[in-house]
Amino acid sequence: MKQVTLIPGDGIGPEITEAVKTIFNAANVPVTWDEENAGQTTFDAIGELIPSTLIASLNKNKVALKGPITTPVGKGFKSVNVQLRQMFDLYSNVRPAKTTPGVNTRFENVNSVLFRENTEGLYSGLEIFDERLQIADSISRVTREGCEKIVRAAFEYATRHGCKRVTAVHKANILKHAGALFLSVFREIAKDYPDLQADDIIIDNMCMQLVVKPEQFDVIVTTNLFGDILSDLCAGLVGGLGVVAGANIGDEMAIFEAVHGSAPDIAGKGIANPTALLRSAIMMLHHLDLKDEANRIEAALEATLANKEECTGDLGGKANTMQFAQNIIAKL
Ligand code: NAI
């Protein structure tokens, strides 16, 4: 049995978490859950966004599954997601985007994985505001070490998964330091992987290429802000945030998460789509080397998604969250 920290999160978080737990139970997955919450609900209850009991659980288990978290609006509240990534040096944000039969999209045959640097760049927290002059500076700090870690993670993934091409996305023509450092590290590391096609593309061209011919890309690697935006763009190509998985991975720890938000507009109604969290949980099973369980659940999910009637409302179906989960279980 492997123990995993489970963070249900806010809004629809507990509902989609329950669905994933039910499916794991039915599939006899050898995982036990160590449940600790974070976010708005926790803050309202105990005055802390990330309780020390959660940090202890993460340090102990090293693997977590996380639902969406609401960051309270207002000064002084730093995003829980950003804090967890920085606290545990979860430098790779990994976002697969693959078209699924039955899920309506404008494109077919999209199958890419985006590696976003998760702790540096414009999210380093280096911001200065001159009140008198009304000038704001947000500093993009990019380090050689940070670039090396994310680029190597992308090439290693490509090698392990039999991918053919790794594409770096940058703006080195304008960002003469931050962009150039990332690009030169990419070109250096690419030499260690002669069997892979390595190329690079400027962010603006990449946006155009992705909405014209997305099936040409395989593994994509980029810095924090570009990755934040591109990963949602890629999600849109394959059916939206409700159906894509995400993971934050470091050398010591990995947190798998639903990439959509807490959906306050539908929270408590029992109609949320658990696919994004389930797909993240499947990624987690691969990470834990539970490949048979991962493949069984994935096959049952794909078979369910192929039949619209069995899906939740956002995918054009009539099922609620738990009926959708039961439809998956019936196919295990
Ligand atoms: P959102 O993703 O929660 O909702 C956008 C729209 O998508 C809503 O109409 C919602 O009903 C729908 N939706 C989202 N997930 C769904 C699902 N699984 N099934 C069916 N419909 C779904 O984005 P929004 O409204 O901008 O953010 C709400 C809260 O979530 C905010 O407090 C924000 O800070 C937080 N958030 C947290 C994230 C995380 O923890 N990873 C990511 C994005 C937002």
Side-chain angles (χ1 to χ4, degrees):
M1 275 285 176
K2 316 227 182 201
Q3 192 169 51
V4 167
T5 301
L6 182 65
I7 310 168
D10 297 308
I12 59 170
E15 300 160 46
I16 55 176
T17 302
E18 204 47 49
V20 170
K21 279 165 74 176
T22 308
I23 294 164
F24 268 42
N25 236 344
N28 289 321
V29 176
V31 158
T32 57
W33 305 106
D34 185 7
E35 205 163 312
E36 288 287 343
N37 215 354
Q40 178 88 60
T41 321
T42 310
F43 185 80
D44 293 343
I46 63 168
E48 280 181 278
L49 274 180
I50 306 179
S52 52
T53 46
L54 169 59
I55 294 170
S57 169
L58 289 168
N59 275 322
K60 179 162 62 97
N61 298 321
K62 311 283 186 206
V63 178
L65 181 66
K66 185 180 81 57
I69 284 178
T70 304
T71 300
V73 178
K75 278 192 178 165
F77 293 114
K78 202 172 158 189
S79 153
V80 170
N81 298 316
V82 173
Q83 283 191 71
L84 289 174
R85 290 165 187 171
Q86 289 179 343
M87 197 182 285
F88 297 109
D89 194 20
L90 306 174
Y91 57 84
S92 293
N93 189 288
V94 186
R95 293 271 295 265
K98 191 175 177 212
T99 35
T100 313
V103 177
N104 283 345
T105 55
R106 287 169 191 270
F107 300 97
E108 285 168 16
N109 305 323
V110 176
N111 188 3
S112 67
V113 180
L114 188 136
F115 279 73
R116 159 191 172 193
E117 202 294 321
N118 218 9
T119 57
E120 302 190 335
L122 272 167
Y123 296 65
S124 301
L126 300 169
E127 296 202 279
I128 307 157
F129 183 54
D130 189 319
E131 190 78 47
R132 190 176 63 82
L133 297 175
Q134 291 288 295
I135 296 175
D137 292 304
S138 298
I139 297 165
S140 171
R141 172 165 293 170
V142 167
T143 67
R144 170 166 286 275
E145 192 194 351
C147 295
E148 284 173 357
K149 288 201 295 192
I150 190 69
V151 169
R152 190 139 328 258
F155 276 103
E156 285 295 314
Y157 177 95
T159 305
R160 276 200 313 279
H161 291 83
C163 306
K164 295 193 165 41
R165 179 180 178 195
V166 181
T167 303
V169 183
H170 63 91
K171 189 77 186 176
N173 52 329
I174 303 295
L175 303 174
K176 299 289 184 193
H177 295 297
L181 178 58
F182 174 73
L183 183 57
S184 70
V185 168
F186 175 79
R187 286 177 175 162
E188 280 164 31
I189 289 181
K191 291 184 190 139
D192 294 343
Y193 301 86
D195 296 339
L196 291 170
Q197 182 194 340
D199 52 18
D200 58 81
I201 182 167
I202 293 173
I203 176 70
D204 24 352
N205 185 14
M206 181 64 172
C207 291
M208 202 260 304
Q209 295 291 338
L210 274 172
V211 297
V212 172
K213 209 175 158 214
E215 60 282 357
Q216 65 182 296
F217 295 105
D218 202 346
V219 174
I220 302 164
V221 60
T222 189
T223 46
N224 207 338
L225 178 64
F226 297 154
D228 192 0
I229 298 165
L230 283 185
S231 56
D232 277 20
L233 195 163
C234 290
L237 297 173
V238 298
L241 294 180
V243 296
V244 293
N248 302 285
I249 303 178
D251 292 333
E252 304 284 324
M253 190 185 293
I255 300 182
F256 297 81
E257 65 178 352
V259 294
H260 55 72
S262 52
D265 53 337
I266 57 166
K269 295 185 179 162
I271 57 170
N273 180 0
T275 300
L277 189 66
L278 183 60
R279 281 192 160 154
S280 305
I282 292 169
M283 268 180 102
M284 182 186 83
L285 292 180
H286 281 290
H287 178 84
L288 291 170
D289 219 16
L290 294 169
K291 299 205 177 348
D292 290 347
E293 289 81 355
N295 292 335
R296 269 178 65 218
I297 297 174
E298 186 168 16
L301 170 66
E302 304 265 317
T304 309
L305 289 172
N307 183 5
K308 243 185 216 3
E309 284 288 301
E310 296 190 33
C311 299
T312 45
D314 58 310
L315 295 178
K318 294 194 175 70
N320 62 29
T321 309
M322 273 313 188
Q323 286 164 342
F324 180 64
Q326 290 303 335
N327 293 336
I328 294 169
I329 289 169
K331 294 178 186 60
L332 277 172

